[in-house]
């Protein structure tokens, strides 16, 4: 369950639960469920649903939240997805205990429910093909037409349905349909399909079944079998609620959960449809479901998101009934806020520029004390080696600086963080290309620790690493995956890819980081001073590979947005 110290949220769903507890509607029980279909990896939208379902259950002493795989569509589902979903849920900090269920475990029960419906005259086997069914369904303006199979006898329907199960018919020959109302203004009620023939091996039931139940039929009954009290889903299922209730009423189930809809999470510059995310993976536009640019939990995790930051984000966005788009800057803000507290500060130079300190003794090395956190003394200090040759960030130097550039320039003095003041004396260039290869500087031995005894000031403090002690590493810098805030807004299943950001990933090699990072394990978070928060993606001592992913920059776009709004 979520940390007990996370702030309590109240939302309209919680109010419904409180009312139900007061009126003893469900005999004091609160049972929710998170019901993923294992046809892809979890994304940040799922995190909202997870935090909501597990979070609500955890607020009540008797509260329970089930994990149930809605695995009725074997064409698209597999074990890899099941494992990744379990892994991500655990990582997010939620525990389903022994409450792990699969809709496929109910196949026999669901089949019996279908038989009951047929016996009641409430379901029939229909031999129209898919096109005909669509045609007969009618439109929003016009009522549908009865299928010629609608009036078959119970005996005929039972016989056909049993033979469907026995594998006597080709895929698509027949479907079992609920017998409701072909003139209903709600299209979902116009005799929806409840079973179809599909000869596909299922990842759990193998070849036992060649008919599979449809989502609407499966979902309400699975909820009921598990004794769910509040079945929370996203708004697009609002029109399905009458059907949810119809199945449970007709079958007179002991437990009739209440379906409650909330607005799904949409995030700017992001797509959330698993179908589309799968395209990015299959077409190798990204490196996999866990590519750090993906909005998946696995991707965010590899980028360096913490579980706390994601849970905190879900809490802040709240739960409502109105669809909206959340600014991705808020998600980044939540990560920054968390890492600001947790991530130790270190120095790393992404684009190194060699600097020789001419008056520093050649064979001297000093171990200088550096703070691991500027405002949290409990995080302690470390020693950083300083020597005659160091690296500075290439763009911290300008030969011909414009007015507001206060960093290093010819003749100018600056402070090296935790070290000395240095002054740039000479710029060495490659004779052929004219590019800067090295700076020659001098240091003032009196300024050790970063202050001058005569009180003179400098305008910049720069990060650096000692060349001979630095560790070579590779760094991935990420940007938004899409250039448009709403890449899904205009159109088809394909054209969201027109809005991919060609600069969503930059890889820098030859970066130099301070030696304290030598043993940083995979999964380690740190702040490279002045540059952002970084995450160790790979640290393989055997082949000297150290790879960092930038989790987020230090610039807080969200804080700016908020400030702007306050004005
Ligand atoms: P997709 O459309 O991406 O395939 P889905 O809704 O089909 O998503 P499921 O695996 O069925 O994916 O989702 C599991 C649960 O997560 C459902 O209860 C669903 O309502 C919820 N969920 C999915 N996407 C979001 C979202 N963007 N915001 C909030 N909840 C979501
Ligand atoms: Mg779904």
């Amino acid at each position: 369950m979520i940390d007990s110290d996370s702030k309590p949220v109240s939302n309209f769903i919680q109010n419904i639960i409180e009312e139900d507890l007061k009126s003893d509607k469900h005999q004091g029980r609160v049972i929710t469920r998170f019901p993923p279909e294992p046809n892809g990896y979890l994304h940040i939208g799922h995190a909202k649903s997870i935090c909501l379902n597990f979070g609500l259950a955890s607020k009540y002493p008797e509260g329970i939240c089930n994990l149930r795989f809605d695995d009725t569509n074997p064409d698209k589902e597999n074990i890899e997805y099941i494992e990744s979903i379990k892994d991500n849920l655990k990582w997010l900090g939620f525990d389903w205990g022994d409450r792990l269920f699969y809709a496929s475990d109910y196949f026999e029960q669901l089949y019996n429910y279908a038989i009951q419906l047929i016996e009641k005259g409430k379901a029939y086997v229909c031999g129209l093909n898919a096109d005909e069914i669509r045609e007969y369904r009618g439109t929003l303006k016009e009522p549908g037409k009865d299928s010629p199979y609608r009036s078959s006898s119970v005996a005929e329907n039972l016989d056909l349905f049993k033979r469907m199960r026995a594998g006597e018919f080709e895929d698509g020959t027949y479907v079992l349909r609920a017998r409701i109302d072909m003139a209903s203004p709600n299209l979902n009620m116009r005799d929806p399909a409840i079973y179809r023939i599909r000869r596909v091996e299922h990842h759990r039931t193998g070849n036992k079944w060649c008919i599979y139940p449809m989502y609407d039929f499966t979902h309400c009954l699975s909820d009921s079998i598990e004794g769910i009290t509040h079945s929370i889903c996203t708004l697009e299922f609002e029109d399905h609620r009458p059907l949810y209730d119809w199945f449970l009423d007709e079958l007179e189930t002991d437990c009739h959960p209440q379906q409650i809809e909330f607005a799904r999470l949409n995030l700017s510059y992001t797509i959330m449809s698993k179908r589309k995310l799968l395209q990015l993976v299959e077409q190798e536009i990204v490196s996999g479901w866990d590519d750090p640019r993906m909005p998946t939990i696995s991707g965010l995790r590899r980028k360096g998101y913490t579980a706390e930051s994601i849970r905190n984000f879900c809490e802040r966005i709240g739960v409502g009934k109105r669809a909206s788009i959340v600014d991705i800057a808020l998600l980044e803000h939540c990560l920054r806020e968390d890492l600001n507290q947790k991530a130790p500060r270190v120095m790393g130079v992404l684009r190194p520029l060699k600097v020789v300190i001419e008056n520093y003794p050649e064979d001297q090395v000093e171990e200088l004390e550096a703070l691991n956190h500027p405002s949290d003394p409990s995080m302690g200090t470390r020693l950083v080696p300083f020597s005659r040759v160091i690296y500075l960030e290439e763009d911290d130097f300008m030969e011909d600086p414009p007015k507001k550039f206060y960093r290093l320039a010819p003749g100018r003095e600056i402070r090296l963080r935790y070290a000395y003041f240095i002054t740039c004396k000479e710029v060495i260039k490659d004779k052929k290309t004219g590019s800067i290869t090295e700076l020659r500087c001098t240091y003032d031995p009196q300024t050790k620790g970063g202050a001058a005894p005569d009180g003179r000031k400098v305008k910049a403090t720069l990060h650096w690493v000692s060349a001979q002690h630095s560790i070579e590493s590779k760094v991935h810098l990420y940007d938004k995956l899409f250039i448009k805030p709403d890449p899904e807004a205009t159109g088809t299943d394909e054209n969201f890819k027109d809005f991919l950001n060609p600069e969503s990933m930059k890889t820098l090699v030859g970066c130099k980081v301070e030696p304290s990072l030598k043993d940083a394990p995979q999964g380690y978070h740190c702040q490279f001073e002045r540059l952002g928060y970084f995450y160790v993606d790979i640290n393989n001592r055997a082949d000297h590979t150290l790879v960092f992913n930038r989790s987020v920059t230090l610039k807080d776009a969200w804080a700016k947005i908020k400030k702007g709004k306050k004005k």
Side-chain angles (χ1 to χ4, degrees):
M1 291 292 150
I2 199 160
D3 296 348
S4 53
D5 63 1
S6 70
K7 280 167 266 145
V9 258
S10 178
N11 59 54
F12 78 96
I13 302 179
Q14 195 179 345
N15 297 341
I16 294 174
I17 296 178
E18 306 277 340
E19 286 302 312
D20 290 348
L21 283 173
K22 262 189 232 152
S23 67
D24 208 29
K25 182 170 168 193
H26 305 282
Q27 299 80 46
R29 292 175 307 135
V30 177
I31 309 184
T32 58
R33 84 286 169 268
F34 173 63
E37 187 185 346
N39 61 351
Y41 279 55
L42 294 180
H43 52 58
I44 182 76
H46 292 117
K48 175 173 178 177
S49 172
I50 292 165
C51 291
L52 181 59
N53 279 293
F54 280 93
L56 280 170
S58 72
K59 288 187 200 305
Y60 303 96
E62 311 298 328
I64 289 175
C65 181
N66 293 354
L67 169 59
R68 182 203 317 139
F69 287 99
D70 233 318
D71 54 349
T72 55
N73 194 1
D75 291 291
K76 299 201 169 125
E77 300 164 359
N78 68 45
I79 302 276
E80 177 197 342
Y81 295 143
I82 292 188
E83 291 310 318
S84 75
I85 290 169
K86 290 202 273 191
D87 179 55
N88 280 324
L89 263 166
K90 276 193 206 141
W91 178 81
L92 273 172
F94 297 99
D95 179 9
W96 56 88
D98 57 357
R99 318 262 328 156
L100 171 61
F101 303 100
Y102 296 85
S104 55
D105 289 346
Y106 310 138
F107 279 172
E108 196 64 49
Q109 255 167 302
L110 294 171
Y111 177 80
N112 289 329
Y113 277 129
I115 295 276
Q116 274 183 50
L117 280 182
I118 296 173
E119 284 170 343
K120 280 185 77 176
K122 296 291 179 180
Y124 61 97
V125 174
C126 181
L128 295 179
N129 65 34
D131 287 339
E132 289 164 333
I133 289 186
R134 208 170 304 124
E135 201 185 303
Y136 275 64
R137 185 175 295 132
T139 62
L140 280 174
K141 289 194 188 114
E142 282 170 35
K145 260 190 330 194
D146 284 1
S147 155
Y149 295 85
R150 203 173 200 262
S151 48
S152 311
S153 70
V154 168
E156 278 172 308
N157 285 319
L158 279 178
D159 174 61
L160 278 176
F161 187 52
K162 286 179 182 165
R163 288 165 61 197
M164 275 169 70
R165 176 179 184 173
E168 284 189 32
F169 310 116
E170 293 291 305
D171 289 13
T173 327
Y174 287 110
V175 288
L176 180 70
R177 297 175 69 179
R179 195 167 189 280
I180 311 179
D181 179 6
M182 287 308 291
S184 169
N186 182 342
L187 293 181
N188 295 307
M189 300 299 273
R190 294 188 186 170
D191 293 10
I194 54 185
Y195 264 92
R196 65 203 169 108
I197 307 173
R198 190 82 187 95
R199 274 183 186 67
V200 165
E201 189 171 303
H202 187 282
H203 48 99
R204 285 180 61 82
T205 57
N207 291 307
K208 182 164 179 216
W209 293 88
C210 65
I211 55 171
Y212 290 100
M214 304 298 286
Y215 174 85
D216 281 321
F217 180 69
T218 310
H219 200 83
C220 56
L221 288 164
S222 305
D223 279 349
S224 171
I225 291 167
E226 291 173 17
I228 301 300
T229 54
H230 300 86
S231 175
I232 302 165
C233 63
T234 41
L235 277 183
E236 65 275 19
F237 288 100
E238 199 163 16
D239 288 347
H240 295 237
R241 188 175 352 118
L243 184 54
Y244 185 104
D245 291 331
W246 186 88
F247 284 125
L248 298 182
D249 288 339
E250 289 298 335
L251 289 164
E252 296 171 47
T253 54
D254 290 338
C255 166
H256 189 139
Q258 179 182 0
Q259 177 178 306
I260 306 170
E261 306 86 15
F262 72 99
R264 66 195 294 122
L265 168 66
N266 299 302
L267 199 58
S268 62
Y269 300 96
T270 308
I271 57 166
M272 219 80 94
S273 148
K274 280 186 276 183
R275 213 177 50 241
K276 290 179 186 166
L277 293 172
L278 179 65
Q279 282 188 42
L280 298 180
V281 174
E282 283 185 335
Q283 296 171 20
E284 297 182 10
I285 293 168
V286 295
S287 64
W289 286 98
D290 69 345
D291 186 302
R293 292 166 293 175
M294 291 281 270
T296 52
I297 305 299
S298 299
L300 291 168
R301 211 170 140 175
R302 247 191 95 192
K303 195 170 176 187
Y305 271 77
T306 58
E308 290 78 1
S309 66
I310 293 177
R311 294 200 306 250
N312 188 254
F313 169 75
C314 291
E315 191 156 313
R316 284 202 190 176
I317 55 178
V319 181
K321 272 273 189 195
R322 243 192 29 227
S324 65
I325 298 182
V326 174
D327 196 319
I328 196 166
L330 176 60
L331 179 63
E332 293 178 347
H333 174 78
C334 290
L335 178 62
R336 221 174 259 123
E337 217 175 46
D338 191 34
L339 291 179
N340 180 34
Q341 291 176 35
K342 289 181 186 157
R345 274 52 172 171
V346 292
M347 292 194 283
V349 174
L350 298 186
R351 297 172 180 89
L353 170 60
K354 186 177 166 193
V355 175
V356 178
I357 302 166
E358 290 180 322
N359 59 338
Y360 195 86
E362 285 214 23
D363 47 6
Q364 184 171 307
V365 176
E366 282 175 279
E367 295 286 341
L368 304 175
E369 191 171 41
L371 291 174
N372 291 336
H373 196 285
S375 56
D376 181 358
S378 76
M379 286 176 75
T381 59
R382 67 189 185 286
L383 295 176
V384 186
F386 183 76
S387 65
R388 179 180 160 91
V389 183
I390 61 168
Y391 292 115
L392 289 185
E393 205 67 62
E394 203 177 75
D395 59 10
D396 278 338
F397 174 79
M398 281 184 97
E399 198 174 9
D400 193 9
K403 236 185 173 173
K404 289 203 167 160
F405 185 88
Y406 299 118
R407 293 168 271 166
L408 197 59
R412 188 180 288 172
E413 186 171 51
I414 56 92
R415 177 189 294 110
L416 294 176
R417 182 86 158 137
Y418 303 118
Y420 295 98
F421 286 10
I422 59 167
T423 305
C424 178
K425 296 292 184 191
E426 195 187 344
V427 183
I428 315 275
K429 291 183 183 169
D430 183 298
K431 287 206 178 72
K432 271 192 204 140
T433 63
S435 59
I436 301 171
T437 53
E438 184 179 311
L439 301 180
R440 310 293 287 191
C441 296
T442 55
Y443 85 118
D444 177 355
Q446 304 271 306
T447 57
K448 188 167 180 177
D454 61 3
R456 74 181 187 277
K457 299 274 184 261
V458 288
K459 282 197 169 151
T461 303
L462 306 181
H463 63 273
W464 52 273
V465 290
S466 160
Q468 59 168 308
H469 302 94
S470 68
I471 308 173
E472 177 118 352
S473 63
K474 185 156 129 182
V475 174
H476 297 298
L477 303 179
Y478 297 104
D479 198 353
K480 299 180 173 83
L481 186 52
F482 292 94
I483 46 171
K484 252 180 80 161
D486 52 351
E488 284 184 291
T490 43
T492 68
D493 253 17
E494 289 287 331
N495 71 359
F496 70 96
K497 285 177 284 185
D498 296 344
F499 310 116
L500 282 161
N501 177 4
E503 311 218 318
S504 58
M505 176 168 91
K506 263 198 205 111
T507 299
L508 304 178
V509 292
C511 309
K512 310 282 185 181
V513 302
E514 64 168 70
S516 74
L517 289 163
K518 190 172 76 182
D519 294 319
Q522 192 274 331
Y524 186 75
H525 300 273
C526 55
Q527 185 198 95
F528 287 177
E529 292 206 24
R530 304 177 59 232
L531 298 176
Y533 293 98
F534 291 76
Y535 176 78
V536 177
D537 190 25
I538 303 169
N539 191 356
N540 188 338
R541 297 287 302 282
D543 65 4
H544 305 285
T545 349
L546 178 56
V547 182
F548 291 91
N549 293 338
R550 185 169 66 195
S551 314
V552 69
T553 59
L554 295 177
K555 250 185 268 154
D556 195 333
W558 181 252
K560 255 197 212 151
I561 293 167
K562 258 188 19 194
K563 230 169 125 191
K565 275 184 190 147
K566 267 190 203 149
K567 271 185 206 156

